[in-house]
Coordinates of all heavy atoms in Angstrom, one line a residue:
M423 N 9.9 80.0 23.4 CA 10.8 79.3 22.4 C 11.3 80.3 21.3 O 10.4 81.1 20.9 CB 10.0 78.2 21.8 CG 9.7 76.9 22.6 SD 11.1 75.8 23.1 CE 10.4 75.3 24.6
T424 N 12.5 80.2 20.9 CA 13.0 81.0 19.9 C 12.3 80.6 18.6 O 12.1 81.3 17.7 CB 14.5 81.0 19.9 OG1 14.9 81.4 21.1 CG2 15.0 82.0 18.8
Y425 N 12.3 79.2 18.4 CA 11.7 78.7 17.2 C 10.8 77.6 17.6 O 11.2 76.8 18.6 CB 12.6 78.4 16.2 CG 13.8 77.4 16.6 CD1 13.5 76.0 16.5 CD2 15.0 77.9 17.1 CE1 14.5 75.2 16.9 CE2 16.0 76.9 17.6 CZ 15.7 75.6 17.5 OH 16.7 74.8 17.8
N426 N 9.7 77.4 17.0 CA 8.8 76.3 17.3 C 9.1 75.2 16.3 O 9.1 75.5 15.1 CB 7.3 76.8 17.1 CG 6.7 77.1 18.5 OD1 7.1 76.5 19.5 ND2 5.9 78.0 18.5
D427 N 9.1 74.1 16.7 CA 9.5 73.0 15.8 C 8.5 71.9 16.3 O 8.7 71.3 17.3 CB 10.8 72.6 15.7 CG 11.2 71.6 14.6 OD1 10.2 70.7 14.3 OD2 12.1 71.8 13.9
S428 N 7.4 71.4 15.6 CA 6.5 70.4 16.0 C 7.2 69.1 16.1 O 6.6 68.2 16.6 CB 5.4 70.4 14.9 OG 5.9 70.0 13.7
K429 N 8.4 68.9 15.6 CA 9.2 67.7 15.8 C 9.5 67.4 17.2 O 10.0 66.3 17.5 CB 10.4 67.6 14.8 CG 10.1 67.6 13.4 CD 11.2 67.7 12.5 CE 10.9 67.6 11.0 NZ 9.9 66.7 10.6
F430 N 9.6 68.5 18.1 CA 9.9 68.2 19.4 C 8.8 68.2 20.3 O 7.8 68.8 20.1 CB 10.8 69.4 19.8 CG 12.1 69.5 19.2 CD1 12.4 70.3 18.2 CD2 13.2 68.7 19.7 CE1 13.6 70.3 17.6 CE2 14.4 68.6 19.1 CZ 14.7 69.5 18.0
G431 N 8.8 67.3 21.3 CA 7.7 67.0 22.2 C 7.9 67.5 23.5 O 8.7 68.5 23.8
E432 N 7.7 66.8 24.5 CA 7.7 67.0 25.9 C 9.1 66.8 26.5 O 9.9 66.1 26.0 CB 6.8 66.1 26.7 CG 5.3 66.1 26.3 CD 4.8 67.4 26.8 OE1 4.8 67.6 28.1 OE2 4.2 68.2 26.0
V433 N 9.4 67.5 27.5 CA 10.6 67.3 28.4 C 10.2 66.2 29.3 O 9.3 66.3 30.1 CB 11.0 68.6 29.1 CG1 12.2 68.3 30.0 CG2 11.3 69.7 28.1
I434 N 11.0 65.1 29.4 CA 10.7 64.0 30.2 C 11.8 63.5 30.9 O 13.1 63.8 30.6 CB 10.1 62.8 29.3 CG1 11.1 62.4 28.3 CG2 8.8 63.2 28.7 CD1 10.7 61.0 27.7
E435 N 11.5 62.6 31.9 CA 12.5 61.9 32.7 C 13.6 62.8 33.4 O 14.8 62.4 33.5 CB 13.3 60.8 31.8 CG 12.4 59.9 31.0 CD 11.7 58.9 31.9 OE1 11.5 59.1 33.2 OE2 11.3 57.8 31.4
S436 N 13.2 63.9 33.8 CA 14.1 64.8 34.7 C 14.6 64.0 35.9 O 13.8 63.4 36.6 CB 13.3 66.1 35.2 OG 13.1 66.9 33.9
G437 N 15.9 64.2 36.2 CA 16.4 63.5 37.3 C 16.6 62.0 37.3 O 17.0 61.4 38.2
K438 N 16.3 61.4 36.1 CA 16.4 59.9 36.0 C 17.6 59.6 35.1 O 18.0 60.4 34.3 CB 15.1 59.4 35.3 CG 13.9 59.5 36.2 CD 12.9 58.4 36.0 CE 11.7 58.6 36.9 NZ 10.5 58.3 36.2
I439 N 18.0 58.4 35.1 CA 19.0 57.9 34.3 C 18.6 56.7 33.4 O 17.9 55.8 34.0 CB 20.2 57.5 35.2 CG1 20.9 58.7 35.9 CG2 21.3 56.8 34.2 CD1 22.1 58.2 36.8
L440 N 18.6 56.8 32.1 CA 18.2 55.8 31.3 C 19.4 55.2 30.6 O 20.3 55.7 30.3 CB 17.3 56.4 30.3 CG 16.0 57.2 30.7 CD1 15.2 57.6 29.4 CD2 15.2 56.3 31.5
L441 N 19.1 53.9 30.4 CA 20.0 53.1 29.5 C 19.5 53.2 28.1 O 18.5 53.0 27.8 CB 20.1 51.6 29.9 CG 21.0 50.8 29.1 CD1 22.5 51.2 29.3 CD2 20.9 49.2 29.6
V442 N 20.4 53.9 27.3 CA 20.0 54.2 25.8 C 21.0 53.7 24.9 O 22.2 53.5 25.2 CB 19.8 55.7 25.7 CG1 18.7 56.2 26.8 CG2 21.1 56.5 25.9
K443 N 20.7 53.9 23.6 CA 21.5 53.6 22.5 C 21.4 54.8 21.5 O 20.2 55.1 21.2 CB 21.1 52.3 21.8 CG 22.3 51.7 21.2 CD 22.0 50.2 20.8 CE 23.3 49.6 20.1 NZ 24.0 50.4 19.2
N444 N 22.4 55.4 21.1 CA 22.4 56.5 20.2 C 21.8 55.9 18.8 O 21.9 54.9 18.3 CB 23.8 57.1 19.9 CG 24.3 58.0 20.9 OD1 23.5 58.7 21.6 ND2 25.6 58.0 21.2
V445 N 20.9 57.0 18.2 CA 20.5 56.7 16.9 C 21.3 57.6 16.0 O 21.4 58.8 16.0 CB 18.9 57.3 16.9 CG1 18.3 57.2 15.5 CG2 18.1 56.5 17.8
M446 N 22.0 57.0 15.0 CA 22.9 57.6 14.2 C 22.3 58.2 12.8 O 22.8 58.9 12.3 CB 24.0 56.6 13.9 CG 24.8 56.1 15.0 SD 25.6 57.5 15.9 CE 26.4 56.5 17.2
S447 N 21.1 57.6 12.5 CA 20.7 58.0 11.2 C 19.7 59.2 11.3 O 19.3 59.7 10.3 CB 19.7 56.8 10.7 OG 18.8 56.6 11.5
A448 N 19.5 59.7 12.5 CA 18.5 60.8 12.7 C 19.0 62.0 12.0 O 20.2 62.3 12.0 CB 18.3 61.0 14.2
S449 N 18.1 62.6 11.3 CA 18.6 63.8 10.4 C 17.9 65.1 10.8 O 18.3 66.1 10.2 CB 18.1 63.5 9.0 OG 16.7 63.3 9.0
V450 N 17.2 65.0 11.7 CA 16.4 66.4 12.0 C 17.2 67.4 12.6 O 17.8 67.1 13.8 CB 15.2 66.0 13.0 CG1 14.5 67.3 13.4 CG2 14.2 65.1 12.3
L451 N 17.4 68.4 12.1 CA 18.2 69.6 12.5 C 19.7 69.1 12.7 O 19.9 68.0 12.7 CB 17.7 70.2 13.8 CG 16.3 70.7 13.9 CD1 15.9 71.2 15.1 CD2 16.1 71.7 12.7
D452 N 20.6 70.1 12.7 CA 21.9 69.7 13.0 C 22.1 69.6 14.4 O 21.4 70.0 15.3 CB 23.0 70.5 12.3 CG 23.1 72.0 13.0 OD1 23.5 72.1 14.2 OD2 22.8 73.0 12.4
P453 N 23.2 68.9 14.9 CA 23.4 68.6 16.2 C 23.4 69.7 17.2 O 22.9 69.7 18.5 CB 24.6 67.7 16.4 CG 24.8 67.2 15.0 CD 24.2 68.1 14.1
R454 N 24.0 70.8 16.7 CA 24.0 72.0 17.6 C 22.7 72.7 17.7 O 22.2 73.2 18.8 CB 25.1 73.1 17.0 CG 26.4 72.5 17.3 CD 27.5 73.4 16.7 NE 28.8 72.9 17.0 CZ 29.4 71.9 16.3 NH1 28.8 71.3 15.2 NH2 30.6 71.5 16.6
R455 N 21.9 72.7 16.7 CA 20.5 73.1 16.8 C 19.6 72.3 17.7 O 18.9 72.8 18.5 CB 19.8 73.3 15.5 CG 20.3 74.5 14.6 CD 19.5 74.9 13.6 NE 18.3 75.5 14.1 CZ 17.2 75.6 13.2 NH1 17.2 75.2 11.9 NH2 16.1 76.1 13.7
R456 N 19.9 71.0 17.7 CA 19.2 70.1 18.6 C 19.5 70.5 20.0 O 18.7 70.5 20.9 CB 19.6 68.7 18.4 CG 18.9 68.2 17.2 CD 19.0 66.7 17.1 NE 20.2 66.0 17.1 CZ 20.9 65.6 16.1 NH1 20.4 65.5 14.8 NH2 22.1 65.0 16.3
L457 N 20.8 70.8 20.3 CA 21.2 71.2 21.7 C 20.7 72.5 22.0 O 20.2 72.6 23.2 CB 22.8 71.3 21.7 CG 23.3 71.7 23.1 CD1 22.9 70.7 24.2 CD2 24.7 71.9 23.1
D458 N 20.5 73.5 21.0 CA 19.9 74.7 21.4 C 18.4 74.5 21.8 O 18.0 75.1 22.8 CB 19.9 75.6 20.2 CG 21.3 76.3 19.9 OD1 22.1 76.2 20.9 OD2 21.6 76.7 18.8
Y459 N 17.8 73.6 21.1 CA 16.4 73.3 21.4 C 16.2 72.8 22.9 O 15.4 73.1 23.6 CB 15.7 72.4 20.4 CG 14.3 72.5 20.5 CD1 13.5 73.5 19.7 CD2 13.6 71.7 21.4 CE1 12.1 73.4 19.9 CE2 12.2 71.7 21.6 CZ 11.5 72.7 20.9 OH 10.1 72.8 21.0
W460 N 17.0 71.8 23.1 CA 17.1 71.0 24.4 C 17.3 72.2 25.4 O 16.6 72.3 26.5 CB 18.2 70.1 24.5 CG 18.3 69.3 25.7 CD1 17.7 68.1 25.9 CD2 18.8 69.6 26.9 NE1 18.0 67.7 27.3 CE2 18.5 68.6 27.9 CE3 19.6 70.8 27.4 CZ2 19.1 68.8 29.2 CZ3 20.1 70.8 28.8 CH2 19.8 69.8 29.5
K461 N 18.2 73.1 25.3 CA 18.5 74.3 26.3 C 17.1 75.0 26.5 O 16.8 75.4 27.7 CB 19.6 75.1 25.9 CG 21.0 74.5 25.9 CD 22.0 75.5 25.4 CE 23.4 75.0 25.2 NZ 24.3 76.0 24.6
E462 N 16.5 75.4 25.4 CA 15.3 76.2 25.6 C 14.3 75.4 26.2 O 13.6 76.0 27.1 CB 14.8 76.6 24.1 CG 15.7 77.7 23.5 CD 15.0 78.2 22.3 OE1 13.8 78.0 22.1 OE2 15.7 78.8 21.5
A463 N 14.1 74.1 26.0 CA 13.0 73.5 26.4 C 13.2 73.2 27.9 O 12.2 73.1 28.8 CB 12.9 72.3 25.7
T464 N 14.5 72.9 28.4 CA 14.7 72.6 29.7 C 15.2 73.8 30.6 O 15.1 73.6 31.9 CB 15.8 71.5 29.8 OG1 17.0 72.1 29.4 CG2 15.6 70.3 29.0
G465 N 15.4 74.8 29.9 CA 15.9 76.0 30.8 C 17.4 75.8 31.2 O 17.8 76.7 32.1
V466 N 18.1 74.9 30.9 CA 19.4 74.6 31.3 C 20.4 75.2 30.3 O 20.4 74.9 29.1 CB 19.7 73.1 31.5 CG1 21.2 73.0 31.9 CG2 18.8 72.6 32.5
S467 N 21.1 76.3 30.6 CA 21.8 77.1 29.7 C 23.2 76.5 29.4 O 23.9 76.8 28.4 CB 21.9 78.5 30.1 OG 22.5 78.7 31.3
N468 N 23.9 75.8 30.3 CA 25.2 75.4 30.2 C 25.4 73.8 30.6 O 26.1 73.5 31.5 CB 26.2 76.1 31.2 CG 26.9 77.3 30.5 OD1 27.2 77.3 29.2 ND2 26.9 78.5 31.1
P469 N 24.7 73.1 29.8 CA 24.8 71.6 30.1 C 26.1 71.0 30.0 O 26.9 71.3 29.0 CB 23.8 71.0 29.1 CG 23.7 71.9 28.0 CD 24.0 73.3 28.5
V470 N 26.4 69.9 30.7 CA 27.5 69.0 30.5 C 26.9 67.9 29.8 O 25.7 67.5 29.9 CB 28.2 68.6 31.9 CG1 29.0 69.9 32.5 CG2 27.3 68.0 32.8
C471 N 27.9 67.1 29.2 CA 27.4 65.8 28.6 C 26.6 64.9 29.5 O 27.0 64.9 30.7 CB 28.7 65.1 28.0 SG 28.2 63.5 27.3
A472 N 25.6 64.5 29.0 CA 24.6 63.6 30.1 C 25.0 62.2 30.2 O 24.6 61.6 31.1 CB 23.2 63.7 29.5
H473 N 26.1 61.8 29.5 CA 26.6 60.4 29.6 C 27.2 60.4 31.2 O 27.9 61.1 31.4 CB 27.7 60.1 28.7 CG 28.3 58.8 28.8 ND1 29.5 58.4 28.2 CD2 27.8 57.7 29.2 CE1 29.7 57.1 28.4 NE2 28.8 56.7 29.0
E474 N 26.7 59.4 31.9 CA 27.1 59.4 33.3 C 28.6 59.5 33.8 O 28.8 59.9 34.7 CB 26.3 58.3 34.1 CG 26.9 56.9 33.8 CD 26.5 55.8 34.8 OE1 25.8 56.2 35.7 OE2 26.9 54.8 34.7
I475 N 29.4 58.9 32.8 CA 30.8 58.9 33.2 C 31.6 60.0 32.5 O 32.8 59.9 32.3 CB 31.5 57.5 32.9 CG1 31.5 57.2 31.6 CG2 30.9 56.6 33.9 CD1 32.3 55.9 31.2
C476 N 30.9 60.9 32.0 CA 31.6 62.0 31.1 C 31.1 63.4 31.7 O 30.0 63.6 32.1 CB 31.1 61.9 29.7 SG 31.9 63.3 28.7
N477 N 32.1 64.4 31.9 CA 31.6 65.6 32.5 C 32.1 66.7 31.5 O 32.2 67.9 31.9 CB 32.2 65.9 33.8 CG 31.4 65.1 34.9 OD1 30.2 65.3 34.9 ND2 32.2 64.2 35.6
R478 N 32.2 66.4 30.3 CA 32.8 67.4 29.3 C 31.6 68.3 29.0 O 30.4 67.9 29.0 CB 33.3 66.9 28.0 CG 34.7 66.2 28.3 CD 35.1 65.6 27.0 NE 34.6 64.3 26.9 CZ 35.2 63.2 26.5 NH1 36.5 63.2 26.3 NH2 34.7 62.0 26.4
P479 N 31.8 69.6 28.6 CA 30.8 70.4 28.2 C 30.0 69.8 27.0 O 30.6 69.3 26.1 CB 31.5 71.8 27.7 CG 32.9 71.7 28.4 CD 33.2 70.3 28.4
A480 N 28.7 70.0 26.9 CA 28.0 69.5 25.9 C 28.0 70.5 24.7 O 27.8 71.7 25.0 CB 26.5 69.4 26.4
T481 N 28.3 69.9 23.6 CA 28.3 70.8 22.3 C 27.3 70.4 21.3 O 27.1 70.9 20.2 CB 29.8 70.7 21.7 OG1 30.2 69.2 21.6 CG2 30.7 71.4 22.6
H482 N 26.7 69.1 21.6 CA 25.8 68.6 20.6 C 24.6 68.1 21.2 O 24.6 67.9 22.5 CB 26.5 67.2 19.8 CG 27.7 67.6 19.1 ND1 28.8 68.2 19.5 CD2 27.8 67.4 17.7 CE1 29.6 68.2 18.4 NE2 29.1 67.8 17.4
G483 N 23.5 68.0 20.5 CA 22.3 67.3 20.9 C 22.3 65.8 20.4 O 22.1 65.6 19.3
G484 N 22.5 64.9 21.3 CA 22.4 63.5 21.0 C 21.0 63.1 20.8 O 20.1 63.6 21.4
I485 N 20.9 62.0 20.0 CA 19.6 61.4 19.9 C 19.7 59.9 20.2 O 20.6 59.2 19.7 CB 19.0 61.5 18.4 CG1 18.9 63.0 18.0 CG2 17.6 60.8 18.3 CD1 18.3 63.3 16.6
A486 N 18.8 59.4 21.0 CA 18.9 58.1 21.4 C 17.5 57.5 21.7 O 16.5 58.2 21.7 CB 19.6 58.0 22.8
V487 N 17.5 56.2 21.7 CA 16.2 55.5 22.2 C 16.7 54.6 23.3 O 17.7 54.2 23.6 CB 15.6 54.6 21.1 CG1 15.2 55.4 19.9 CG2 16.7 53.6 20.5
R488 N 15.5 54.3 24.2 CA 15.7 53.4 25.3 C 16.3 52.1 24.8 O 15.7 51.4 23.8 CB 14.5 53.2 26.0 CG 14.0 54.4 26.8 CD 12.6 54.1 27.2 NE 12.1 55.1 28.3 CZ 11.4 56.1 28.0 NH1 11.4 56.6 26.8 NH2 11.2 57.1 29.0
A489 N 17.3 51.5 25.6 CA 17.8 50.2 25.2 C 16.8 49.2 25.7 O 16.1 49.5 26.8 CB 19.2 50.0 25.9
F490 N 16.8 48.0 25.2 CA 15.9 46.9 25.7 C 14.4 47.3 25.9 O 13.8 47.0 26.9 CB 16.5 46.3 27.1 CG 17.8 45.8 27.0 CD1 18.8 46.5 27.8 CD2 18.2 44.9 26.1 CE1 20.1 46.1 27.7 CE2 19.6 44.4 26.1 CZ 20.6 45.1 26.8
S491 N 13.9 48.0 25.0 CA 12.6 48.5 25.1 C 11.9 48.6 23.8 O 12.5 48.6 22.7 CB 12.6 50.0 25.6 OG 11.2 50.5 25.7
R492 N 10.6 48.3 23.7 CA 9.7 48.4 22.6 C 9.5 49.9 22.3 O 9.0 50.3 21.2 CB 8.5 47.7 22.6 CG 8.8 46.2 22.1 CD 7.5 45.5 22.2 NE 7.5 44.3 23.1 CZ 6.5 43.6 23.4 NH1 5.3 43.9 23.0 NH2 6.7 42.7 24.4
D493 N 9.7 50.7 23.2 CA 9.5 52.2 23.1 C 10.5 52.8 22.2 O 11.7 52.7 22.4 CB 9.5 52.9 24.5 CG 9.1 54.3 24.4 OD1 9.1 55.0 23.3 OD2 9.0 55.0 25.5
R494 N 10.1 53.1 20.9 CA 11.1 53.6 20.0 C 11.2 55.2 20.0 O 11.7 55.8 19.0 CB 10.8 53.2 18.6 CG 10.7 51.7 18.5 CD 11.9 50.9 19.1 NE 13.2 51.0 18.3 CZ 14.2 50.8 18.7 NH1 14.4 50.4 20.0 NH2 15.4 50.9 18.1
Q495 N 10.5 55.9 21.0 CA 10.5 57.3 21.1 C 11.9 57.8 21.1 O 12.7 57.4 21.8 CB 9.8 57.7 22.2 CG 10.0 59.3 22.6 CD 9.2 60.1 21.5 OE1 8.0 60.0 21.3 NE2 9.9 60.9 20.9
K496 N 12.2 58.7 20.1 CA 13.6 59.3 20.0 C 13.7 60.3 21.1 O 12.7 61.2 21.3 CB 13.9 59.9 18.6 CG 14.0 58.9 17.7 CD 14.5 59.4 16.3 CE 14.6 58.5 15.2 NZ 13.3 58.2 14.4
L497 N 14.8 60.5 21.8 CA 15.1 61.4 22.9 C 16.4 62.2 22.7 O 17.3 61.6 22.3 CB 15.3 60.6 24.2 CG 14.1 59.6 24.5 CD1 14.6 58.7 25.7 CD2 12.8 60.4 24.8
V498 N 16.1 63.4 22.9 CA 17.4 64.4 22.7 C 18.0 64.6 24.0 O 17.3 64.8 25.0 CB 17.0 65.7 22.0 CG1 18.2 66.7 21.9 CG2 16.3 65.4 20.7
Y499 N 19.3 64.6 24.1 CA 20.0 64.8 25.4 C 21.3 65.4 25.0 O 21.8 65.5 23.9 CB 20.4 63.5 26.2 CG 21.3 62.6 25.4 CD1 22.8 62.7 25.7 CD2 21.0 61.8 24.3 CE1 23.6 61.9 25.1 CE2 21.9 61.0 23.8 CZ 23.2 61.1 24.0 OH 24.1 60.2 23.4
P500 N 21.9 66.4 26.0 CA 23.1 67.1 25.7 C 24.3 66.2 25.7 O 24.5 65.3 26.6 CB 23.3 68.0 26.9 CG 22.5 67.5 28.0 CD 21.3 66.5 27.3
A501 N 25.2 66.2 24.7 CA 26.3 65.3 24.6 C 27.5 66.1 24.1 O 27.5 67.1 23.6 CB 25.9 64.3 23.5
C502 N 28.7 65.5 24.4 CA 29.9 66.1 23.9 C 30.1 65.4 22.5 O 29.5 64.5 22.2 CB 31.1 65.8 24.9 SG 31.6 64.0 24.9
E503 N 31.2 65.9 21.9 CA 31.5 65.5 20.5 C 31.8 64.0 20.5 O 31.5 63.3 19.4 CB 32.8 66.2 20.1 CG 32.6 66.7 18.6 CD 33.8 67.7 18.3 OE1 34.2 68.4 19.1 OE2 34.2 67.6 17.3
T504 N 32.3 63.4 21.5 CA 32.7 62.1 21.6 C 31.5 61.2 21.8 O 31.2 60.2 21.1 CB 33.7 61.8 22.7 OG1 34.8 62.5 22.4 CG2 34.1 60.3 22.7
C505 N 30.7 61.6 22.9 CA 29.6 60.6 23.2 C 28.5 60.6 22.3 O 27.7 59.7 22.2 CB 29.1 61.2 24.7 SG 30.3 60.9 25.9
V506 N 28.4 61.7 21.5 CA 27.3 61.7 20.5 C 27.5 60.7 19.5 O 26.6 60.2 18.8 CB 27.1 63.1 19.8 CG1 28.3 63.4 18.9 CG2 25.8 63.4 19.3
R507 N 28.7 60.2 19.3 CA 29.1 59.2 18.3 C 29.2 57.8 18.9 O 29.6 56.9 18.3 CB 30.4 59.6 17.6 CG 30.2 60.7 16.8 CD 31.5 61.0 16.0 NE 31.4 62.3 15.2 CZ 31.6 63.5 15.6 NH1 32.1 63.7 16.8 NH2 31.4 64.5 14.8
R508 N 29.1 57.7 20.2 CA 29.3 56.3 20.8 C 28.2 55.4 20.4 O 27.0 55.7 20.1 CB 29.1 56.4 22.4 CG 30.4 57.1 22.9 CD 30.3 57.0 24.4 NE 31.3 57.9 25.1 CZ 32.5 57.5 25.3 NH1 33.1 56.4 24.9 NH2 33.4 58.5 25.9
T509 N 28.6 54.1 20.0 CA 27.8 53.1 19.5 C 27.3 52.1 20.5 O 26.3 51.3 20.3 CB 28.3 52.4 18.3 OG1 29.6 51.7 18.7 CG2 28.6 53.4 17.1
E510 N 28.0 52.1 21.7 CA 27.5 51.1 22.8 C 26.3 51.6 23.6 O 26.0 52.9 23.3 CB 28.7 50.9 23.6 CG 29.1 52.0 24.6 CD 30.1 53.0 24.0 OE1 30.1 53.3 22.7 OE2 30.9 53.6 24.7
M511 N 25.8 50.8 24.4 CA 24.8 51.3 25.2 C 25.4 52.3 26.4 O 26.4 52.1 26.7 CB 24.0 50.3 25.9 CG 23.0 49.5 24.9 SD 22.2 48.2 25.7 CE 23.3 46.9 25.4
L512 N 24.6 53.3 26.6 CA 25.1 54.3 27.6 C 24.0 54.6 28.6 O 22.8 54.5 28.4 CB 25.2 55.7 26.9 CG 26.1 55.7 25.6 CD1 26.0 57.1 24.9 CD2 27.5 55.5 25.9
Y513 N 24.4 54.8 29.9 CA 23.7 55.4 30.9 C 23.8 56.9 30.7 O 24.8 57.5 30.8 CB 24.1 54.9 32.3 CG 23.7 53.6 32.5 CD1 24.7 52.6 32.5 CD2 22.4 53.3 33.0 CE1 24.4 51.3 32.8 CE2 22.2 52.0 33.3 CZ 23.1 50.9 33.2 OH 22.8 49.6 33.4
V514 N 22.6 57.6 30.5 CA 22.5 58.9 30.3 C 21.4 59.6 31.3 O 20.3 59.0 31.3 CB 22.0 59.2 28.7 CG1 21.7 60.6 28.5 CG2 23.2 58.7 27.9
S515 N 21.8 60.7 31.7 CA 20.8 61.2 32.8 C 19.9 62.3 32.0 O 20.3 63.1 31.2 CB 21.6 62.0 33.9 OG 22.6 62.8 33.4
G516 N 18.7 62.3 32.5 CA 17.6 63.3 31.9 C 17.9 64.7 32.6 O 18.6 64.8 33.5
P517 N 17.0 65.6 32.1 CA 15.9 65.4 31.3 C 16.2 65.2 29.8 O 17.4 65.6 29.4 CB 15.2 66.8 31.4 CG 16.2 67.8 31.8 CD 17.2 67.0 32.6
F518 N 15.3 64.6 29.2 CA 15.3 64.5 27.6 C 14.2 65.2 27.1 O 13.2 65.5 27.6 CB 15.1 62.9 27.3 CG 16.1 62.1 28.0 CD1 16.0 61.5 29.3 CD2 17.3 61.6 27.2 CE1 17.0 60.7 29.9 CE2 18.2 60.8 27.7 CZ 18.0 60.3 29.0
V519 N 14.5 65.6 25.7 CA 13.4 66.1 25.0 C 13.0 65.2 24.0 O 13.8 64.6 23.1 CB 13.8 67.5 24.3 CG1 12.6 68.1 23.6 CG2 14.1 68.5 25.5
E520 N 11.7 65.0 23.9 CA 11.2 64.0 22.7 C 11.4 64.5 21.4 O 11.3 65.8 21.3 CB 9.7 63.8 23.0 CG 9.4 62.9 24.3 CD 7.9 62.8 24.5 OE1 7.1 63.5 24.0 OE2 7.6 61.8 25.3
L521 N 11.8 63.7 20.5 CA 11.9 64.2 19.1 C 11.1 63.2 18.3 O 11.2 62.0 18.3 CB 13.4 64.1 18.8 CG 13.7 64.2 17.3 CD1 13.4 65.8 16.8 CD2 15.1 64.0 17.0
N522 N 10.3 63.8 17.5 CA 9.3 63.0 16.5 C 9.7 63.3 15.1 O 9.2 64.3 14.6 CB 7.9 63.4 16.8 CG 7.6 63.3 18.4 OD1 7.7 62.3 18.8 ND2 7.2 64.5 18.9
D523 N 10.5 62.4 14.5 CA 10.8 62.5 13.2 C 10.4 61.2 12.4 O 10.0 60.3 13.0 CB 12.1 63.0 12.9 CG 13.2 61.9 13.2 OD1 12.9 61.0 13.9 OD2 14.3 62.1 12.8
Ligands
ZN664 ZN1 30.5 63.0 26.8

């Protein structure tokens, strides 16, 4: 890791698709640094947006939680500028990096 940040946890749900909702209030790091962390943690250097119907290059680290779940764990995923701001529920493909803030 280029920088260690205890706010980030495990890489989870590789190869899976989760129904999630973006968390807009999250403040930890800026979205580009979140994406940098996701790249380091997963080893994927050129991610595309993880929203299943979007293939634009990822420029941001989105933060989401699972929809219809009591699990409030925040998850970082690669997102384009548009999808990082979407307010509806999204199908997003993993891997995700856990974020604890
Ligand atoms: Zn997108």
Side-chain angles (χ1 to χ4, degrees):
M423 295 283 158
T424 304
Y425 53 91
N426 261 328
D427 194 319
S428 60
K429 292 179 184 309
F430 291 98
E432 301 288 303
V433 176
I434 61 166
E435 306 288 22
S436 291
K438 296 211 180 137
I439 295 175
L440 300 184
L441 182 60
V442 303
K443 202 161 187 322
N444 279 329
V445 177
M446 298 303 180
S447 62
S449 58
V450 176
L451 302 178
D452 72 60
R454 286 178 180 80
R455 287 194 67 194
R456 289 196 299 257
L457 180 62
D458 287 343
Y459 196 92
W460 185 96
K461 288 181 189 173
E462 284 189 17
T464 61
V466 177
S467 54
N468 264 320
V470 295
C471 180
H473 183 202
E474 67 160 4
I475 60 165
C476 181
N477 284 305
R478 283 178 282 231
T481 52
H482 291 61
I485 299 180
V487 293
R488 289 171 166 86
F490 304 118
S491 172
R492 274 184 241 170
D493 182 350
R494 306 310 291 167
Q495 173 67 57
K496 294 187 180 87
L497 304 169
V498 178
Y499 67 95
C502 70
E503 224 170 323
T504 302
C505 293
V506 76
R507 293 188 178 85
R508 289 187 191 278
T509 55
E510 72 273 31
M511 284 182 273
L512 307 170
Y513 284 102
V514 171
S515 51
F518 299 83
V519 175
E520 294 175 337
L521 174 65
N522 307 302
D523 68 342

